[in-house]
Amino acid sequence: LQFIFKKISMIPDLVERLKANLPKEYQEILTRDHTVFKKIEAHAVIQEGTATFDVIDIVADVFRLHGQGTVDWQQNADLTFTIEVPKDLSRSMIQAVEELGFFADAEGKISIPLERYEGPIASFRPFPDLEKLGRQFIQTKGKEEIQKLLDKVLHREGTSSEQVPASPSPGQPSDGSQQSPEGQIIEGILDTIWKK
């Protein structure tokens, strides 16, 4: 987990800030040099010398690694994974480093997609997918900034005397049927940006 966080370059000094601000019990978990596994589960179909895994689920005390992929008899792998941090640890991490909230899912768990790995299984090392993370970071941050701009415009023009409903906070689901007109405008702007 520490290795992955060190590679998330869009949040400066992430690991150092976590070590400085996390509760002591979590600081020790983050800095230790071993991992305690609680469960390793995989479902596979073996055909023509290749094992195809539709489920790979590895649960440790501070993260859950889940994904899918293939491994052949020569130990060549093609794997995609996401790493999740448990809700209680995610909450403490987001309190310690607010920007991590941009990577929280609807349940409040920090969720980091990993780069697709192709190569010998013995050389596999998890690495965060910085392109996906960067897009997620910019989209979520962009929603906040556009919402602030809309708030200013609407209040300045006097079209609303009440607080404009905020867009969902990082990690909260965005349900189009429940969105305010402002939320729909924000989604439309971001959709247009990312389609280009």
Side-chain angles (χ1 to χ4, degrees), residues 7 10-11 26 45 47-48 56 60 68 70 75 83 97 104-105 114 122 126 136 140-141 145 149 159 174 187 196:
K7 301 299 180 184
M10 68 276 299
I11 304 180
Y26 289 140
V45 174
Q47 190 174 16
E48 297 180 0
I56 304 172
Q68 57 278 322
T70 60
Q75 303 295 304
I83 191 165
V97 180
D105 63 17
L114 302 183
Q136 185 176 340
T140 310
K141 186 67 176 169
E145 295 305 316
L149 183 61
T159 56
S174 178
E187 292 292 340
K196 287 186 177 180

mmCIF file with all atom_site columns, all heavy atoms in Angstrom, residues 7 10-11 26 45 47-48 56 60 68 70 75 83 97 104-105 114 122 126 136 140-141 145 149 159 174 187 196:
data_model
loop_
_atom_site.group_PDB
_atom_site.id
_atom_site.type_symbol
_atom_site.label_atom_id
_atom_site.label_alt_id
_atom_site.label_comp_id
_atom_site.label_asym_id
_atom_site.label_entity_id
_atom_site.label_seq_id
_atom_site.pdbx_PDB_ins_code
_atom_site.Cartn_x
_atom_site.Cartn_y
_atom_site.Cartn_z
_atom_site.occupancy
_atom_site.B_iso_or_equiv
_atom_site.pdbx_formal_charge
_atom_site.auth_seq_id
_atom_site.auth_comp_id
_atom_site.auth_asym_id
_atom_site.auth_atom_id
_atom_site.pdbx_PDB_model_num
ATOM 1   N N   . LYS A 1 7   ? 3.621   6.317   -5.484  1.00 0.00 ? 7   LYS A N   1
ATOM 2   C CA  . LYS A 1 7   ? 3.586   6.545   -6.928  1.00 0.00 ? 7   LYS A CA  1
ATOM 3   C C   . LYS A 1 7   ? 2.470   7.492   -7.356  1.00 0.00 ? 7   LYS A C   1
ATOM 4   O O   . LYS A 1 7   ? 2.371   7.849   -8.529  1.00 0.00 ? 7   LYS A O   1
ATOM 5   C CB  . LYS A 1 7   ? 3.422   5.205   -7.663  1.00 0.00 ? 7   LYS A CB  1
ATOM 6   C CG  . LYS A 1 7   ? 4.522   4.199   -7.382  1.00 0.00 ? 7   LYS A CG  1
ATOM 7   C CD  . LYS A 1 7   ? 5.879   4.712   -7.811  1.00 0.00 ? 7   LYS A CD  1
ATOM 8   C CE  . LYS A 1 7   ? 6.992   3.708   -7.525  1.00 0.00 ? 7   LYS A CE  1
ATOM 9   N NZ  . LYS A 1 7   ? 8.316   4.255   -7.857  1.00 0.00 ? 7   LYS A NZ  1
ATOM 10  N N   . MET A 1 10  ? 0.128   12.997  -8.249  1.00 0.00 ? 10  MET A N   1
ATOM 11  C CA  . MET A 1 10  ? -0.696  14.213  -8.254  1.00 0.00 ? 10  MET A CA  1
ATOM 12  C C   . MET A 1 10  ? -1.011  14.717  -6.847  1.00 0.00 ? 10  MET A C   1
ATOM 13  O O   . MET A 1 10  ? -1.560  15.799  -6.677  1.00 0.00 ? 10  MET A O   1
ATOM 14  C CB  . MET A 1 10  ? -1.996  14.008  -9.059  1.00 0.00 ? 10  MET A CB  1
ATOM 15  C CG  . MET A 1 10  ? -3.009  13.066  -8.481  1.00 0.00 ? 10  MET A CG  1
ATOM 16  S SD  . MET A 1 10  ? -2.717  11.324  -8.877  1.00 0.00 ? 10  MET A SD  1
ATOM 17  C CE  . MET A 1 10  ? -2.806  11.291  -10.635 1.00 0.00 ? 10  MET A CE  1
ATOM 18  N N   . ILE A 1 11  ? -0.657  13.950  -5.810  1.00 0.00 ? 11  ILE A N   1
ATOM 19  C CA  . ILE A 1 11  ? -0.798  14.425  -4.431  1.00 0.00 ? 11  ILE A CA  1
ATOM 20  C C   . ILE A 1 11  ? 0.610   14.512  -3.834  1.00 0.00 ? 11  ILE A C   1
ATOM 21  O O   . ILE A 1 11  ? 1.203   13.496  -3.468  1.00 0.00 ? 11  ILE A O   1
ATOM 22  C CB  . ILE A 1 11  ? -1.677  13.481  -3.579  1.00 0.00 ? 11  ILE A CB  1
ATOM 23  C CG1 . ILE A 1 11  ? -3.046  13.299  -4.225  1.00 0.00 ? 11  ILE A CG1 1
ATOM 24  C CG2 . ILE A 1 11  ? -1.821  14.037  -2.158  1.00 0.00 ? 11  ILE A CG2 1
ATOM 25  C CD1 . ILE A 1 11  ? -3.979  12.375  -3.455  1.00 0.00 ? 11  ILE A CD1 1
ATOM 26  N N   . TYR A 1 26  ? -2.411  3.265   12.780  1.00 0.00 ? 26  TYR A N   1
ATOM 27  C CA  . TYR A 1 26  ? -2.389  3.196   11.325  1.00 0.00 ? 26  TYR A CA  1
ATOM 28  C C   . TYR A 1 26  ? -1.023  3.561   10.772  1.00 0.00 ? 26  TYR A C   1
ATOM 29  O O   . TYR A 1 26  ? -0.616  3.055   9.726   1.00 0.00 ? 26  TYR A O   1
ATOM 30  C CB  . TYR A 1 26  ? -3.461  4.105   10.727  1.00 0.00 ? 26  TYR A CB  1
ATOM 31  C CG  . TYR A 1 26  ? -4.873  3.605   10.948  1.00 0.00 ? 26  TYR A CG  1
ATOM 32  C CD1 . TYR A 1 26  ? -5.900  4.485   11.269  1.00 0.00 ? 26  TYR A CD1 1
ATOM 33  C CD2 . TYR A 1 26  ? -5.191  2.256   10.832  1.00 0.00 ? 26  TYR A CD2 1
ATOM 34  C CE1 . TYR A 1 26  ? -7.205  4.041   11.457  1.00 0.00 ? 26  TYR A CE1 1
ATOM 35  C CE2 . TYR A 1 26  ? -6.480  1.798   11.025  1.00 0.00 ? 26  TYR A CE2 1
ATOM 36  C CZ  . TYR A 1 26  ? -7.487  2.695   11.334  1.00 0.00 ? 26  TYR A CZ  1
ATOM 37  O OH  . TYR A 1 26  ? -8.765  2.243   11.522  1.00 0.00 ? 26  TYR A OH  1
ATOM 38  N N   . VAL A 1 45  ? -11.104 -20.868 -15.071 1.00 0.00 ? 45  VAL A N   1
ATOM 39  C CA  . VAL A 1 45  ? -11.382 -21.911 -16.058 1.00 0.00 ? 45  VAL A CA  1
ATOM 40  C C   . VAL A 1 45  ? -10.075 -22.163 -16.785 1.00 0.00 ? 45  VAL A C   1
ATOM 41  O O   . VAL A 1 45  ? -9.435  -21.220 -17.269 1.00 0.00 ? 45  VAL A O   1
ATOM 42  C CB  . VAL A 1 45  ? -12.469 -21.466 -17.061 1.00 0.00 ? 45  VAL A CB  1
ATOM 43  C CG1 . VAL A 1 45  ? -12.638 -22.503 -18.161 1.00 0.00 ? 45  VAL A CG1 1
ATOM 44  C CG2 . VAL A 1 45  ? -13.793 -21.230 -16.347 1.00 0.00 ? 45  VAL A CG2 1
ATOM 45  N N   . GLN A 1 47  ? -8.176  -23.814 -19.922 1.00 0.00 ? 47  GLN A N   1
ATOM 46  C CA  . GLN A 1 47  ? -8.469  -24.290 -21.268 1.00 0.00 ? 47  GLN A CA  1
ATOM 47  C C   . GLN A 1 47  ? -7.283  -23.995 -22.175 1.00 0.00 ? 47  GLN A C   1
ATOM 48  O O   . GLN A 1 47  ? -6.761  -22.877 -22.183 1.00 0.00 ? 47  GLN A O   1
ATOM 49  C CB  . GLN A 1 47  ? -9.723  -23.593 -21.797 1.00 0.00 ? 47  GLN A CB  1
ATOM 50  C CG  . GLN A 1 47  ? -10.271 -24.168 -23.083 1.00 0.00 ? 47  GLN A CG  1
ATOM 51  C CD  . GLN A 1 47  ? -11.596 -23.521 -23.467 1.00 0.00 ? 47  GLN A CD  1
ATOM 52  O OE1 . GLN A 1 47  ? -11.967 -22.479 -22.956 1.00 0.00 ? 47  GLN A OE1 1
ATOM 53  N NE2 . GLN A 1 47  ? -12.320 -24.164 -24.361 1.00 0.00 ? 47  GLN A NE2 1
ATOM 54  N N   . GLU A 1 48  ? -6.851  -25.009 -22.916 1.00 0.00 ? 48  GLU A N   1
ATOM 55  C CA  . GLU A 1 48  ? -5.753  -24.877 -23.885 1.00 0.00 ? 48  GLU A CA  1
ATOM 56  C C   . GLU A 1 48  ? -4.512  -24.233 -23.273 1.00 0.00 ? 48  GLU A C   1
ATOM 57  O O   . GLU A 1 48  ? -3.906  -23.313 -23.839 1.00 0.00 ? 48  GLU A O   1
ATOM 58  C CB  . GLU A 1 48  ? -6.222  -24.083 -25.111 1.00 0.00 ? 48  GLU A CB  1
ATOM 59  C CG  . GLU A 1 48  ? -7.345  -24.779 -25.867 1.00 0.00 ? 48  GLU A CG  1
ATOM 60  C CD  . GLU A 1 48  ? -7.818  -23.986 -27.073 1.00 0.00 ? 48  GLU A CD  1
ATOM 61  O OE1 . GLU A 1 48  ? -7.255  -22.883 -27.320 1.00 0.00 ? 48  GLU A OE1 1
ATOM 62  O OE2 . GLU A 1 48  ? -8.753  -24.446 -27.748 1.00 0.00 ? 48  GLU A OE2 1
ATOM 63  N N   . ILE A 1 56  ? -10.324 -12.741 -8.918  1.00 0.00 ? 56  ILE A N   1
ATOM 64  C CA  . ILE A 1 56  ? -9.144  -12.872 -8.055  1.00 0.00 ? 56  ILE A CA  1
ATOM 65  C C   . ILE A 1 56  ? -9.376  -11.899 -6.907  1.00 0.00 ? 56  ILE A C   1
ATOM 66  O O   . ILE A 1 56  ? -9.536  -10.705 -7.127  1.00 0.00 ? 56  ILE A O   1
ATOM 67  C CB  . ILE A 1 56  ? -7.828  -12.528 -8.776  1.00 0.00 ? 56  ILE A CB  1
ATOM 68  C CG1 . ILE A 1 56  ? -7.655  -13.376 -10.043 1.00 0.00 ? 56  ILE A CG1 1
ATOM 69  C CG2 . ILE A 1 56  ? -6.634  -12.718 -7.839  1.00 0.00 ? 56  ILE A CG2 1
ATOM 70  C CD1 . ILE A 1 56  ? -6.476  -12.958 -10.908 1.00 0.00 ? 56  ILE A CD1 1
ATOM 71  N N   . ALA A 1 60  ? -6.134  -8.393  2.566   1.00 0.00 ? 60  ALA A N   1
ATOM 72  C CA  . ALA A 1 60  ? -5.137  -8.226  3.627   1.00 0.00 ? 60  ALA A CA  1
ATOM 73  C C   . ALA A 1 60  ? -5.749  -7.363  4.718   1.00 0.00 ? 60  ALA A C   1
ATOM 74  O O   . ALA A 1 60  ? -6.905  -6.945  4.616   1.00 0.00 ? 60  ALA A O   1
ATOM 75  C CB  . ALA A 1 60  ? -3.872  -7.573  3.057   1.00 0.00 ? 60  ALA A CB  1
ATOM 76  N N   . GLN A 1 68  ? -9.111  -9.552  -12.315 1.00 0.00 ? 68  GLN A N   1
ATOM 77  C CA  . GLN A 1 68  ? -9.240  -10.730 -13.156 1.00 0.00 ? 68  GLN A CA  1
ATOM 78  C C   . GLN A 1 68  ? -8.040  -10.778 -14.096 1.00 0.00 ? 68  GLN A C   1
ATOM 79  O O   . GLN A 1 68  ? -7.259  -9.835  -14.154 1.00 0.00 ? 68  GLN A O   1
ATOM 80  C CB  . GLN A 1 68  ? -10.538 -10.716 -13.964 1.00 0.00 ? 68  GLN A CB  1
ATOM 81  C CG  . GLN A 1 68  ? -10.745 -9.503  -14.848 1.00 0.00 ? 68  GLN A CG  1
ATOM 82  C CD  . GLN A 1 68  ? -11.293 -8.317  -14.087 1.00 0.00 ? 68  GLN A CD  1
ATOM 83  O OE1 . GLN A 1 68  ? -12.124 -8.471  -13.208 1.00 0.00 ? 68  GLN A OE1 1
ATOM 84  N NE2 . GLN A 1 68  ? -10.805 -7.125  -14.410 1.00 0.00 ? 68  GLN A NE2 1
ATOM 85  N N   . THR A 1 70  ? -5.432  -13.634 -16.859 1.00 0.00 ? 70  THR A N   1
ATOM 86  C CA  . THR A 1 70  ? -5.056  -14.965 -17.342 1.00 0.00 ? 70  THR A CA  1
ATOM 87  C C   . THR A 1 70  ? -3.606  -15.255 -16.972 1.00 0.00 ? 70  THR A C   1
ATOM 88  O O   . THR A 1 70  ? -2.786  -14.344 -16.841 1.00 0.00 ? 70  THR A O   1
ATOM 89  C CB  . THR A 1 70  ? -5.194  -15.068 -18.878 1.00 0.00 ? 70  THR A CB  1
ATOM 90  O OG1 . THR A 1 70  ? -4.332  -14.108 -19.503 1.00 0.00 ? 70  THR A OG1 1
ATOM 91  C CG2 . THR A 1 70  ? -6.630  -14.835 -19.328 1.00 0.00 ? 70  THR A CG2 1
ATOM 92  N N   . GLN A 1 75  ? 3.802   -19.357 -17.128 1.00 0.00 ? 75  GLN A N   1
ATOM 93  C CA  . GLN A 1 75  ? 3.714   -18.354 -16.062 1.00 0.00 ? 75  GLN A CA  1
ATOM 94  C C   . GLN A 1 75  ? 3.678   -16.921 -16.589 1.00 0.00 ? 75  GLN A C   1
ATOM 95  O O   . GLN A 1 75  ? 4.085   -15.978 -15.894 1.00 0.00 ? 75  GLN A O   1
ATOM 96  C CB  . GLN A 1 75  ? 4.878   -18.505 -15.067 1.00 0.00 ? 75  GLN A CB  1
ATOM 97  C CG  . GLN A 1 75  ? 4.980   -19.874 -14.423 1.00 0.00 ? 75  GLN A CG  1
ATOM 98  C CD  . GLN A 1 75  ? 3.774   -20.179 -13.540 1.00 0.00 ? 75  GLN A CD  1
ATOM 99  O OE1 . GLN A 1 75  ? 3.474   -19.432 -12.632 1.00 0.00 ? 75  GLN A OE1 1
ATOM 100 N NE2 . GLN A 1 75  ? 3.085   -21.269 -13.826 1.00 0.00 ? 75  GLN A NE2 1
ATOM 101 N N   . ILE A 1 83  ? -7.195  -1.807  -6.141  1.00 0.00 ? 83  ILE A N   1
ATOM 102 C CA  . ILE A 1 83  ? -6.900  -1.965  -4.716  1.00 0.00 ? 83  ILE A CA  1
ATOM 103 C C   . ILE A 1 83  ? -7.836  -1.058  -3.924  1.00 0.00 ? 83  ILE A C   1
ATOM 104 O O   . ILE A 1 83  ? -8.048  0.091   -4.281  1.00 0.00 ? 83  ILE A O   1
ATOM 105 C CB  . ILE A 1 83  ? -5.409  -1.674  -4.415  1.00 0.00 ? 83  ILE A CB  1
ATOM 106 C CG1 . ILE A 1 83  ? -5.057  -2.108  -2.990  1.00 0.00 ? 83  ILE A CG1 1
ATOM 107 C CG2 . ILE A 1 83  ? -5.047  -0.224  -4.656  1.00 0.00 ? 83  ILE A CG2 1
ATOM 108 C CD1 . ILE A 1 83  ? -3.565  -2.189  -2.722  1.00 0.00 ? 83  ILE A CD1 1
ATOM 109 N N   . VAL A 1 97  ? -5.235  13.390  4.778   1.00 0.00 ? 97  VAL A N   1
ATOM 110 C CA  . VAL A 1 97  ? -4.892  13.986  3.480   1.00 0.00 ? 97  VAL A CA  1
ATOM 111 C C   . VAL A 1 97  ? -6.196  14.134  2.696   1.00 0.00 ? 97  VAL A C   1
ATOM 112 O O   . VAL A 1 97  ? -6.677  13.184  2.104   1.00 0.00 ? 97  VAL A O   1
ATOM 113 C CB  . VAL A 1 97  ? -3.884  13.121  2.693   1.00 0.00 ? 97  VAL A CB  1
ATOM 114 C CG1 . VAL A 1 97  ? -3.558  13.767  1.347   1.00 0.00 ? 97  VAL A CG1 1
ATOM 115 C CG2 . VAL A 1 97  ? -2.605  12.904  3.495   1.00 0.00 ? 97  VAL A CG2 1
ATOM 116 N N   . ALA A 1 104 ? -12.282 8.173   -3.358  1.00 0.00 ? 104 ALA A N   1
ATOM 117 C CA  . ALA A 1 104 ? -13.187 7.334   -2.557  1.00 0.00 ? 104 ALA A CA  1
ATOM 118 C C   . ALA A 1 104 ? -14.393 6.929   -3.390  1.00 0.00 ? 104 ALA A C   1
ATOM 119 O O   . ALA A 1 104 ? -14.889 7.706   -4.216  1.00 0.00 ? 104 ALA A O   1
ATOM 120 C CB  . ALA A 1 104 ? -13.633 8.096   -1.309  1.00 0.00 ? 104 ALA A CB  1
ATOM 121 N N   . ASP A 1 105 ? -14.868 5.699   -3.165  1.00 0.00 ? 105 ASP A N   1
ATOM 122 C CA  . ASP A 1 105 ? -16.058 5.239   -3.873  1.00 0.00 ? 105 ASP A CA  1
ATOM 123 C C   . ASP A 1 105 ? -17.316 5.656   -3.110  1.00 0.00 ? 105 ASP A C   1
ATOM 124 O O   . ASP A 1 105 ? -17.244 6.401   -2.127  1.00 0.00 ? 105 ASP A O   1
ATOM 125 C CB  . ASP A 1 105 ? -16.004 3.718   -4.104  1.00 0.00 ? 105 ASP A CB  1
ATOM 126 C CG  . ASP A 1 105 ? -15.999 2.900   -2.811  1.00 0.00 ? 105 ASP A CG  1
ATOM 127 O OD1 . ASP A 1 105 ? -16.353 3.454   -1.734  1.00 0.00 ? 105 ASP A OD1 1
ATOM 128 O OD2 . ASP A 1 105 ? -15.655 1.715   -2.866  1.00 0.00 ? 105 ASP A OD2 1
ATOM 129 N N   . LEU A 1 114 ? -5.251  -0.172  -10.763 1.00 0.00 ? 114 LEU A N   1
ATOM 130 C CA  . LEU A 1 114 ? -3.847  -0.451  -11.053 1.00 0.00 ? 114 LEU A CA  1
ATOM 131 C C   . LEU A 1 114 ? -3.658  -0.610  -12.552 1.00 0.00 ? 114 LEU A C   1
ATOM 132 O O   . LEU A 1 114 ? -4.593  -0.950  -13.288 1.00 0.00 ? 114 LEU A O   1
ATOM 133 C CB  . LEU A 1 114 ? -3.400  -1.730  -10.338 1.00 0.00 ? 114 LEU A CB  1
ATOM 134 C CG  . LEU A 1 114 ? -3.555  -1.744  -8.814  1.00 0.00 ? 114 LEU A CG  1
ATOM 135 C CD1 . LEU A 1 114 ? -2.994  -3.034  -8.243  1.00 0.00 ? 114 LEU A CD1 1
ATOM 136 C CD2 . LEU A 1 114 ? -2.875  -0.539  -8.171  1.00 0.00 ? 114 LEU A CD2 1
ATOM 137 N N   . ALA A 1 122 ? 6.070   -13.846 -11.928 1.00 0.00 ? 122 ALA A N   1
ATOM 138 C CA  . ALA A 1 122 ? 7.045   -13.626 -10.854 1.00 0.00 ? 122 ALA A CA  1
ATOM 139 C C   . ALA A 1 122 ? 7.508   -12.172 -10.792 1.00 0.00 ? 122 ALA A C   1
ATOM 140 O O   . ALA A 1 122 ? 7.994   -11.716 -9.754  1.00 0.00 ? 122 ALA A O   1
ATOM 141 C CB  . ALA A 1 122 ? 8.251   -14.540 -11.050 1.00 0.00 ? 122 ALA A CB  1
ATOM 142 N N   . PRO A 1 126 ? 2.371   -4.326  -8.338  1.00 0.00 ? 126 PRO A N   1
ATOM 143 C CA  . PRO A 1 126 ? 1.235   -3.417  -8.542  1.00 0.00 ? 126 PRO A CA  1
ATOM 144 C C   . PRO A 1 126 ? 1.701   -1.976  -8.699  1.00 0.00 ? 126 PRO A C   1
ATOM 145 O O   . PRO A 1 126 ? 2.562   -1.508  -7.962  1.00 0.00 ? 126 PRO A O   1
ATOM 146 C CB  . PRO A 1 126 ? 0.403   -3.601  -7.266  1.00 0.00 ? 126 PRO A CB  1
ATOM 147 C CG  . PRO A 1 126 ? 1.372   -4.096  -6.239  1.00 0.00 ? 126 PRO A CG  1
ATOM 148 C CD  . PRO A 1 126 ? 2.396   -4.893  -6.980  1.00 0.00 ? 126 PRO A CD  1
ATOM 149 N N   . GLN A 1 136 ? -9.827  11.016  -12.905 1.00 0.00 ? 136 GLN A N   1
ATOM 150 C CA  . GLN A 1 136 ? -10.781 11.032  -11.794 1.00 0.00 ? 136 GLN A CA  1
ATOM 151 C C   . GLN A 1 136 ? -10.552 12.252  -10.901 1.00 0.00 ? 136 GLN A C   1
ATOM 152 O O   . GLN A 1 136 ? -11.490 12.929  -10.494 1.00 0.00 ? 136 GLN A O   1
ATOM 153 C CB  . GLN A 1 136 ? -10.627 9.739   -10.987 1.00 0.00 ? 136 GLN A CB  1
ATOM 154 C CG  . GLN A 1 136 ? -11.636 9.551   -9.880  1.00 0.00 ? 136 GLN A CG  1
ATOM 155 C CD  . GLN A 1 136 ? -11.476 8.198   -9.197  1.00 0.00 ? 136 GLN A CD  1
ATOM 156 O OE1 . GLN A 1 136 ? -10.890 7.269   -9.743  1.00 0.00 ? 136 GLN A OE1 1
ATOM 157 N NE2 . GLN A 1 136 ? -11.972 8.092   -7.992  1.00 0.00 ? 136 GLN A NE2 1
ATOM 158 N N   . THR A 1 140 ? -13.343 15.279  -10.598 1.00 0.00 ? 140 THR A N   1
ATOM 159 C CA  . THR A 1 140 ? -13.971 15.573  -9.306  1.00 0.00 ? 140 THR A CA  1
ATOM 160 C C   . THR A 1 140 ? -13.633 16.989  -8.853  1.00 0.00 ? 140 THR A C   1
ATOM 161 O O   . THR A 1 140 ? -14.501 17.723  -8.391  1.00 0.00 ? 140 THR A O   1
ATOM 162 C CB  . THR A 1 140 ? -13.509 14.554  -8.241  1.00 0.00 ? 140 THR A CB  1
ATOM 163 O OG1 . THR A 1 140 ? -13.671 13.234  -8.756  1.00 0.00 ? 140 THR A OG1 1
ATOM 164 C CG2 . THR A 1 140 ? -14.327 14.676  -6.977  1.00 0.00 ? 140 THR A CG2 1
ATOM 165 N N   . LYS A 1 141 ? -12.354 17.365  -9.001  1.00 0.00 ? 141 LYS A N   1
ATOM 166 C CA  . LYS A 1 141 ? -11.945 18.720  -8.643  1.00 0.00 ? 141 LYS A CA  1
ATOM 167 C C   . LYS A 1 141 ? -12.642 19.735  -9.541  1.00 0.00 ? 141 LYS A C   1
ATOM 168 O O   . LYS A 1 141 ? -13.079 20.803  -9.084  1.00 0.00 ? 141 LYS A O   1
ATOM 169 C CB  . LYS A 1 141 ? -10.425 18.846  -8.765  1.00 0.00 ? 141 LYS A CB  1
ATOM 170 C CG  . LYS A 1 141 ? -9.870  20.171  -8.273  1.00 0.00 ? 141 LYS A CG  1
ATOM 171 C CD  . LYS A 1 141 ? -10.031 20.317  -6.783  1.00 0.00 ? 141 LYS A CD  1
ATOM 172 C CE  . LYS A 1 141 ? -9.387  21.596  -6.278  1.00 0.00 ? 141 LYS A CE  1
ATOM 173 N NZ  . LYS A 1 141 ? -9.754  21.888  -4.879  1.00 0.00 ? 141 LYS A NZ  1
ATOM 174 N N   . GLU A 1 145 ? -14.969 23.124  -8.673  1.00 0.00 ? 145 GLU A N   1
ATOM 175 C CA  . GLU A 1 145 ? -14.653 24.477  -9.142  1.00 0.00 ? 145 GLU A CA  1
ATOM 176 C C   . GLU A 1 145 ? -15.791 25.051  -9.981  1.00 0.00 ? 145 GLU A C   1
ATOM 177 O O   . GLU A 1 145 ? -16.126 26.235  -9.859  1.00 0.00 ? 145 GLU A O   1
ATOM 178 C CB  . GLU A 1 145 ? -13.342 24.463  -9.938  1.00 0.00 ? 145 GLU A CB  1
ATOM 179 C CG  . GLU A 1 145 ? -12.114 24.102  -9.117  1.00 0.00 ? 145 GLU A CG  1
ATOM 180 C CD  . GLU A 1 145 ? -11.944 24.985  -7.890  1.00 0.00 ? 145 GLU A CD  1
ATOM 181 O OE1 . GLU A 1 145 ? -12.110 26.218  -8.002  1.00 0.00 ? 145 GLU A OE1 1
ATOM 182 O OE2 . GLU A 1 145 ? -11.648 24.452  -6.807  1.00 0.00 ? 145 GLU A OE2 1
ATOM 183 N N   . LEU A 1 149 ? -18.177 28.368  -9.272  1.00 0.00 ? 149 LEU A N   1
ATOM 184 C CA  . LEU A 1 149 ? -18.416 29.404  -10.266 1.00 0.00 ? 149 LEU A CA  1
ATOM 185 C C   . LEU A 1 149 ? -19.918 29.618  -10.478 1.00 0.00 ? 149 LEU A C   1
ATOM 186 O O   . LEU A 1 149 ? -20.394 30.759  -10.521 1.00 0.00 ? 149 LEU A O   1
ATOM 187 C CB  . LEU A 1 149 ? -17.739 29.009  -11.581 1.00 0.00 ? 149 LEU A CB  1
ATOM 188 C CG  . LEU A 1 149 ? -17.819 30.011  -12.725 1.00 0.00 ? 149 LEU A CG  1
ATOM 189 C CD1 . LEU A 1 149 ? -17.144 31.329  -12.342 1.00 0.00 ? 149 LEU A CD1 1
ATOM 190 C CD2 . LEU A 1 149 ? -17.182 29.438  -13.979 1.00 0.00 ? 149 LEU A CD2 1
ATOM 191 N N   . THR A 1 159 ? -30.693 35.195  -8.940  1.00 0.00 ? 159 THR A N   1
ATOM 192 C CA  . THR A 1 159 ? -31.706 34.236  -9.383  1.00 0.00 ? 159 THR A CA  1
ATOM 193 C C   . THR A 1 159 ? -32.046 33.229  -8.313  1.00 0.00 ? 159 THR A C   1
ATOM 194 O O   . THR A 1 159 ? -32.957 32.456  -8.459  1.00 0.00 ? 159 THR A O   1
ATOM 195 C CB  . THR A 1 159 ? -31.209 33.481  -10.633 1.00 0.00 ? 159 THR A CB  1
ATOM 196 O OG1 . THR A 1 159 ? -29.965 32.858  -10.316 1.00 0.00 ? 159 THR A OG1 1
ATOM 197 C CG2 . THR A 1 159 ? -31.023 34.433  -11.796 1.00 0.00 ? 159 THR A CG2 1
ATOM 198 N N   . SER A 1 174 ? -23.321 9.850   -8.169  1.00 0.00 ? 174 SER A N   1
ATOM 199 C CA  . SER A 1 174 ? -23.955 10.950  -8.885  1.00 0.00 ? 174 SER A CA  1
ATOM 200 C C   . SER A 1 174 ? -25.157 10.408  -9.625  1.00 0.00 ? 174 SER A C   1
ATOM 201 O O   . SER A 1 174 ? -25.037 9.834   -10.688 1.00 0.00 ? 174 SER A O   1
ATOM 202 C CB  . SER A 1 174 ? -22.936 11.555  -9.864  1.00 0.00 ? 174 SER A CB  1
ATOM 203 O OG  . SER A 1 174 ? -23.534 12.589  -10.591 1.00 0.00 ? 174 SER A OG  1
ATOM 204 N N   . GLU A 1 187 ? -22.193 18.182  -15.133 1.00 0.00 ? 187 GLU A N   1
ATOM 205 C CA  . GLU A 1 187 ? -21.945 16.899  -15.799 1.00 0.00 ? 187 GLU A CA  1
ATOM 206 C C   . GLU A 1 187 ? -21.815 17.099  -17.310 1.00 0.00 ? 187 GLU A C   1
ATOM 207 O O   . GLU A 1 187 ? -20.962 16.500  -17.959 1.00 0.00 ? 187 GLU A O   1
ATOM 208 C CB  . GLU A 1 187 ? -23.084 15.916  -15.501 1.00 0.00 ? 187 GLU A CB  1
ATOM 209 C CG  . GLU A 1 187 ? -23.151 15.451  -14.057 1.00 0.00 ? 187 GLU A CG  1
ATOM 210 C CD  . GLU A 1 187 ? -21.976 14.576  -13.641 1.00 0.00 ? 187 GLU A CD  1
ATOM 211 O OE1 . GLU A 1 187 ? -21.306 14.011  -14.526 1.00 0.00 ? 187 GLU A OE1 1
ATOM 212 O OE2 . GLU A 1 187 ? -21.728 14.473  -12.435 1.00 0.00 ? 187 GLU A OE2 1
ATOM 213 N N   . LYS A 1 196 ? -13.659 15.290  -26.086 1.00 0.00 ? 196 LYS A N   1
ATOM 214 C CA  . LYS A 1 196 ? -12.817 15.925  -27.117 1.00 0.00 ? 196 LYS A CA  1
ATOM 215 C C   . LYS A 1 196 ? -11.442 15.329  -27.142 1.00 0.00 ? 196 LYS A C   1
ATOM 216 O O   . LYS A 1 196 ? -10.824 14.857  -26.433 1.00 0.00 ? 196 LYS A O   1
ATOM 217 C CB  . LYS A 1 196 ? -12.723 17.437  -26.850 1.00 0.00 ? 196 LYS A CB  1
ATOM 218 C CG  . LYS A 1 196 ? -14.018 18.112  -27.184 1.00 0.00 ? 196 LYS A CG  1
ATOM 219 C CD  . LYS A 1 196 ? -13.904 19.611  -27.074 1.00 0.00 ? 196 LYS A CD  1
ATOM 220 C CE  . LYS A 1 196 ? -15.202 20.275  -27.496 1.00 0.00 ? 196 LYS A CE  1
ATOM 221 N NZ  . LYS A 1 196 ? -15.156 21.727  -27.417 1.00 0.00 ? 196 LYS A NZ  1
#
